[in-house]
Amino acid sequence: MKQEIWGWGRAPRALCDVVTPRDKAELIAAVAAEKLIPRGAGRAYGDAALQPERTVSMRHMNHLLAFDEQTGALEAEAGLMLADLLEVFVPRGWFPPVTPGSKFVTLGGMVAADVHGKNHHHAGSFGQHLAWIEVMGADGKTRIAKPNSQLFKATVGGMGLTGIVTRVALKLRKIETGWIRQESVVARNLGEAMDALEDGESWDYSVAWIDCLASGDSFGRSIVYLGEHAGTEHLDHKQSATPFPGARKMRSIPFDAPNFLLNRMTARLFNAVYYRAGVRGEGERVIDWDTYFYPLDAVGGWNRLYGKRGFAQYQCAIPLETAEPGLRQVIGEIGQGGEGAFLGVLKRFGPGRGAALSFPIEGYTLALDFPMSPKALDLMDRLDQIVETHGGRLYLAKDNRMRAKMMTSGYGKGLAQLAKTRDTAFASLQSERLEL
């Protein structure tokens, strides 16, 4: 059925032939197309899951298949939503080994993007916790791919270009409670933020909110959040009564925000208020898992805050040896660029491992949201030049405007590995734009 669809950034939009198979037989029929791409929950920000000729939605192939209570080994169909997995397994004392910043993603999407979380410095990315994946090619045949195979290495992080992930086998981690022990650290500038992330290496999780509009002595000021799964000894009386809290109730935004509200002045005001709140909240406390890992998921449709034109998330990774000068140049360019960045997130990456197009490289990643506009697009082109100069790359799951040259610069070796395994029937608007 032809329908207009888009990614989480709401730009670009495309009229696509969307099919939604419910079982393997329907999926085999669905892949009989000259050009197609799989789609999970539609949470890739740009055009990675858009193909006008055929977009195969996996949302109905979402069943749990097997689970071992002794080892945490799980098998599930790729359309299973992470939110549903958490609803089932957190009360039983299990948690995903790696989680992105939203729980409204599918397991297949997590494989395709090789998602990372706040614990990359310890746990690596999602692909490192998979026992195997099952992949269907355009011929309708499925193949089991294990971590040492070329198909596995090209599919994990491959954005659906090697076939459709149909089943996933991974291992969950055991947790004693559903609470997180969090320490908030106020960093008065970028140097202090990076020091706090380095000093917090022993914590399971670490992430920083960063103000990319502050200047002078406050350049790069941040609030660093360190976390680890709490034991029962960390809980107060009320928390002990509910050792495995459920997810928060979601509140939805029913309308698109007016574009005139999104400007440098309102971004600067938002950042100032957030920083002051972080200063007041400095120290250690225990919070529920949903608040720590998925703060934005409490607001359904928060992407509507950026108006009808949508937004772009710019997420780069810069190698450790050039991270500080690279970040200073990126943040400095944003400060001079006249465009407001409302959400800035800084994380420390551990070593990148294995997969051809996996995003993480050892160093730092910075993610920023910009309301879509010609000025923002020009700014991001300038940021590309800085990131490329410092040996960095951009995250495909967040991309909706990168140029082919930047893709080649950031993923040259991985592209050669993908080319050996790729099923050329699978193509997205993103892969065509990037000339893959």
Side-chain angles (χ1 to χ4, degrees):
M1 179 178 69
K2 284 283 187 179
Q3 61 184 94
E4 188 180 50
I5 57 175
W6 51 88
W8 188 245
R10 306 182 76 196
R13 298 171 178 241
L15 188 64
C16 299
D17 175 28
V18 180
V19 296
T20 310
R22 294 180 177 272
D23 56 35
K24 188 174 181 179
E26 291 185 7
L27 181 59
I28 291 173
V31 300
E34 290 188 10
K35 193 182 293 186
L36 70 153
I37 200 71
R39 180 179 176 90
R43 283 296 182 117
Y45 279 53
D47 48 4
L50 303 180
Q51 175 48 253
E53 293 191 28
R54 179 155 297 173
T55 300
V56 182
S57 171
M58 296 294 288
R59 62 190 178 90
H60 289 323
M61 299 188 69
N62 61 354
H63 299 93
L64 285 166
L65 302 175
F67 182 67
D68 188 327
E69 284 280 4
Q70 301 302 313
T71 65
L74 170 76
E75 296 178 20
E77 290 182 319
L80 180 68
M81 193 85 74
L82 178 58
D84 296 328
L85 184 152
L86 291 163
E87 183 179 359
V88 172
F89 288 103
V90 168
R92 296 164 73 169
W94 296 95
F95 202 76
V98 170
T99 175
S102 174
K103 59 181 180 287
F104 299 117
V105 295
T106 63
L107 294 184
M110 292 170 72
V111 173
D114 193 22
V115 296
H116 56 272
K118 299 176 177 70
N119 61 343
H120 188 272
H121 58 294
H122 283 310
S125 52
F126 188 62
Q128 280 134 265
H129 303 273
L130 300 174
W132 51 263
I133 53 177
E134 182 182 73
V135 184
M136 180 179 287
D139 57 3
K141 296 179 181 179
T142 56
R143 299 160 180 85
I144 296 292
K146 295 186 177 180
N148 61 349
S149 70
Q150 288 297 319
L151 180 58
F152 184 95
K153 292 177 181 179
T155 301
V156 174
M159 303 305 291
L161 300 179
T162 63
I164 297 179
V165 177
T166 54
R167 291 190 296 152
V168 177
L170 70 149
K171 189 172 183 179
L172 303 183
R173 65 174 292 179
K174 190 67 176 170
I175 55 174
E176 189 175 341
T177 78
W179 297 90
I180 299 295
R181 187 166 69 91
Q182 174 186 278
E183 182 175 332
S184 303
V185 180
V186 175
R188 292 169 295 181
N189 52 53
L190 178 62
E192 288 190 7
M194 297 180 74
D195 287 344
L197 288 169
E198 296 291 342
D199 293 343
E201 193 274 338
S202 62
W203 290 73
D204 283 349
Y205 304 100
S206 63
V207 64
W209 166 86
I210 183 168
D211 183 353
C212 289
L213 295 178
S215 58
D217 292 341
S218 297
F219 179 89
R221 65 182 180 180
S222 305
I223 308 295
V224 178
Y225 299 101
L226 307 173
E228 60 187 27
H229 292 279
T232 54
E233 71 275 13
H234 299 122
L235 308 186
D236 61 25
H237 180 72
K238 184 177 180 180
Q239 293 162 344
S240 296
T242 312
F244 293 100
R248 299 158 296 166
K249 291 183 179 180
M250 183 190 298
R251 301 179 183 227
S252 296
I253 296 175
F255 57 87
D256 296 324
N259 288 320
F260 70 83
L261 291 178
L262 305 170
N263 55 59
R264 187 179 181 84
M265 184 177 67
T266 55
R268 190 179 293 278
L269 177 62
F270 171 84
N271 284 326
V273 170
Y274 193 102
Y275 182 76
R276 285 198 293 269
V279 171
R280 290 194 301 271
E282 186 175 22
E284 189 173 311
R285 63 189 182 117
V286 174
I287 63 175
D288 64 273
W289 60 271
D290 195 35
T291 299
Y292 184 80
F293 289 104
Y294 315 109
L296 291 177
D297 283 348
V299 183
W302 64 262
N303 55 347
R304 302 187 74 173
L305 290 171
Y306 288 93
K308 291 182 179 180
R309 290 184 300 185
F311 72 103
Q313 183 167 106
Y314 189 91
Q315 184 165 1
C316 62
I318 302 178
L320 189 59
E321 57 270 21
T322 59
E324 183 164 3
L327 288 171
R328 288 190 179 279
Q329 281 191 267
V330 167
I331 296 168
E333 187 66 36
I334 294 166
Q336 297 173 14
E339 293 300 302
F342 284 81
L343 293 176
V345 176
L346 181 68
K347 286 189 289 222
R348 172 70 155 89
F349 275 161
R353 303 177 181 98
L357 298 187
S358 183
F359 169 64
I361 51 178
E362 186 165 19
Y364 281 81
T365 178
L366 178 66
L368 306 152
D369 287 352
F370 297 106
M372 191 62 77
S373 71
K375 286 185 177 180
L377 291 171
D378 288 344
L379 170 61
M380 288 184 280
D381 282 343
R382 297 196 300 274
L383 298 183
D384 284 356
Q385 295 175 16
I386 297 170
V387 172
E388 183 178 359
T389 297
H390 289 85
R393 58 173 55 161
L394 304 185
Y395 191 16
L396 290 172
K398 304 293 179 68
D399 163 59
N400 65 357
R401 40 64 56 193
M402 184 182 6
R403 301 176 190 272
K405 177 178 177 292
M406 183 68 183
M407 181 69 192
T408 302
S409 170
Y411 292 93
K413 293 181 180 179
L415 290 173
Q417 187 175 345
L418 175 70
K420 297 177 183 178
T421 314
R422 183 178 172 192
D423 189 328
T424 55
F426 292 89
S428 63
L429 292 184
Q430 180 186 61
S431 72
E432 293 168 347
R433 168 170 52 83
L434 296 175
E435 302 174 10
L436 301 185

